[in-house]
Amino acid sequence: MRLRRKHKSPPVLSHEFVIQNHVDVVSCLVMSLLMGVVFEATTKNAIIFVAVQYNVTYTIDDSNEQFHFYDYGPKDIATIFFYMLIAINLHAVIQENILDKINRSLHLSKTKHSKFNESGQLAFFSLFSFIWGSSILNAEEFAMDLTSLWTEYPHCRMLFQVKFFYICQIAYWLHALPELYFQKIQKEDIPRQLCYICLYIIHISGAYILNFQRLGLILMVPHYLVEFIFHASRLFYFSDENKQKGIGCLATVCLTQAWMMWKFINFQLKKYREHVNNQIPKKKITNTKKKRTNQEPNRENCVNGAAKVEGEASPRIRKSKPV
């Protein structure tokens, strides 16, 4: 009988060791930071990583009601680092429990395998971001009143859910950089992925730092919807040999774009009609005022309450009879 060869574990701190055990190392860091919050000696330092910082509270004297807002600062770097570690763990969970099982049943090639994993991860994240961002827009009603995007700018104060959304967004796209190394991405695909990852980091961080949080949120929500449909179509393309599902996704994308254009056109027409209706009564009021002023006699031509007719003598003034 032949003895089975045991796979030798790679040497410590080698490339293979880091790639195989990076999830365990990251999990230990996350647990150590969470344990630091429990103990009083390390709470002040560990809370910077876990909790959202720069809380600002406003109180109203009449009702004693408190409003909690948040600002940004250098301590956010520690919070982003912590949630970047959590994103690495979630990436590994989705990869091992969902995507790898699907890949085994599909028997994809190496190029399709890497693209399938890329689209699978981004499809989950795009759907999650779209649902979360839509809930924030629905709660805060930023999209209903577009004037809130520029009135009282700069918007230095943020609500908790808005700031936490941006922190998670920046943390996710930062975690995508080391994932290029952990997932052994091919050299041909690295420039393409590195390009759009850096674009996401620059634009989202810029909206967060330059106080364009509301505008960035309104732009990200429909963008993530389109991204989800795109990556879902790629997944169907790799999994369906007849490409019937891909044609269905293409039709969904076209219908979504047509629906968004229809809503935009109706919104602009509604605003135009309201503007026209508001202008018509003002013109009528100005016209009626002019007519009244033309009909009223001039005070200079009136004597003793009687109007003086042009070309005629003024009426005689009555003298009071002596008593």
Side-chain angles (χ1 to χ4, degrees), residues 205-307:
S205 302
Y208 180 70
I209 295 171
L210 299 176
N211 298 319
F212 288 109
Q213 298 91 0
R214 299 179 182 179
L215 179 61
L217 190 63
I218 291 176
L219 294 176
M220 276 191 286
V221 169
H223 174 74
Y224 278 128
L225 176 60
V226 177
E227 284 289 312
F228 169 71
I229 297 173
F230 170 72
H231 290 291
S233 63
R234 288 186 71 186
L235 293 174
F236 290 135
Y237 173 79
F238 293 129
S239 61
D240 188 14
E241 296 180 355
N242 297 325
K243 309 298 183 296
Q244 295 178 356
K245 297 178 181 178
I247 295 171
C249 290
L250 179 61
T252 304
V253 172
C254 295
L255 291 174
T256 304
Q257 294 292 334
W259 177 77
M260 293 174 67
M261 182 59 69
W262 177 255
K263 295 290 288 185
F264 176 77
I265 293 171
N266 286 333
F267 176 78
Q268 295 297 329
L269 290 175
K270 183 179 179 181
K271 289 293 183 182
Y272 177 75
R273 290 168 184 168
E274 291 178 355
H275 178 71
V276 171
N277 293 329
N278 292 330
Q279 292 296 326
I280 291 174
K282 292 181 180 179
K283 293 181 180 179
K284 291 182 178 180
I285 292 171
T286 54
N287 292 329
T288 54
K289 286 183 178 179
K290 289 180 180 179
K291 290 180 180 179
R292 289 178 181 177
T293 54
N294 292 330
Q295 292 175 0
E296 289 179 357
N298 191 2
R299 292 183 179 179
E300 295 178 355
N301 296 328
C302 296
V303 179
N304 293 332

Side-chain angles (χ1 to χ4, degrees), residues 30-249:
V30 172
M31 291 302 297
S32 62
L33 291 173
L34 291 176
M35 291 298 294
V37 179
V38 177
F39 299 101
E40 295 182 358
T42 58
T43 300
K44 293 182 180 180
N45 296 325
I47 200 67
I48 300 174
F49 292 88
V50 179
V52 179
Q53 302 298 312
Y54 300 103
N55 184 13
V56 180
T57 304
Y58 293 96
T59 57
I60 298 176
D61 297 333
D62 297 335
S63 59
N64 293 326
E65 188 177 359
Q66 294 183 352
F67 296 92
H68 299 281
F69 294 93
Y70 290 85
D71 202 348
Y72 64 86
K75 292 182 181 179
D76 292 337
I77 299 174
T79 311
I80 291 171
F81 174 75
F82 175 77
Y83 288 99
M84 184 182 71
L85 299 178
I86 293 179
I88 293 173
N89 284 326
L90 293 175
H91 187 108
V93 170
I94 295 172
Q95 184 67 40
E96 294 177 2
N97 296 329
I98 299 175
L99 298 178
D100 286 344
K101 293 180 179 179
I102 298 174
N103 284 324
R104 291 168 190 169
S105 61
L106 295 176
H107 303 288
L108 299 175
S109 61
K110 290 183 179 180
T111 56
K112 289 184 178 181
H113 184 272
S114 61
K115 291 180 180 179
F116 184 87
N117 292 334
E118 177 190 358
S119 294
Q121 294 286 346
L122 292 176
F124 278 106
F125 176 73
S126 300
L127 180 61
F128 175 75
S129 299
F130 170 72
I131 296 172
W132 189 8
S134 299
S135 65
I136 296 174
L137 290 179
N138 187 24
E140 303 303 329
E141 296 182 353
F142 292 152
M144 301 301 295
D145 186 12
L146 296 179
T147 58
S148 63
L149 298 178
W150 57 83
T151 54
E152 298 181 358
Y153 179 82
H155 307 119
C156 301
R157 301 291 182 260
M158 293 175 284
L159 296 172
F160 171 78
Q161 53 186 352
V162 176
K163 178 169 183 176
F164 190 57
F165 178 81
Y166 272 91
I167 286 177
C168 292
Q169 290 290 321
I170 298 171
Y172 180 84
W173 291 110
L174 284 176
H175 109 281
L177 295 175
E179 286 295 339
L180 297 175
Y181 172 71
F182 295 147
Q183 298 297 325
K184 296 181 180 180
I185 304 299
Q186 297 179 359
K187 294 182 179 180
E188 296 81 9
D189 294 335
I190 289 177
R192 177 182 59 83
Q193 296 188 24
L194 191 63
C195 180
Y196 72 76
I197 289 170
C198 292
L199 287 174
Y200 272 107
I201 293 172
I202 292 171
H203 285 86
I204 296 175
S205 302
Y208 180 70
I209 295 171
L210 299 176
N211 298 319
F212 288 109
Q213 298 91 0
R214 299 179 182 179
L215 179 61
L217 190 63
I218 291 176
L219 294 176
M220 276 191 286
V221 169
H223 174 74
Y224 278 128
L225 176 60
V226 177
E227 284 289 312
F228 169 71
I229 297 173
F230 170 72
H231 290 291
S233 63
R234 288 186 71 186
L235 293 174
F236 290 135
Y237 173 79
F238 293 129
S239 61
D240 188 14
E241 296 180 355
N242 297 325
K243 309 298 183 296
Q244 295 178 356
K245 297 178 181 178
I247 295 171
C249 290

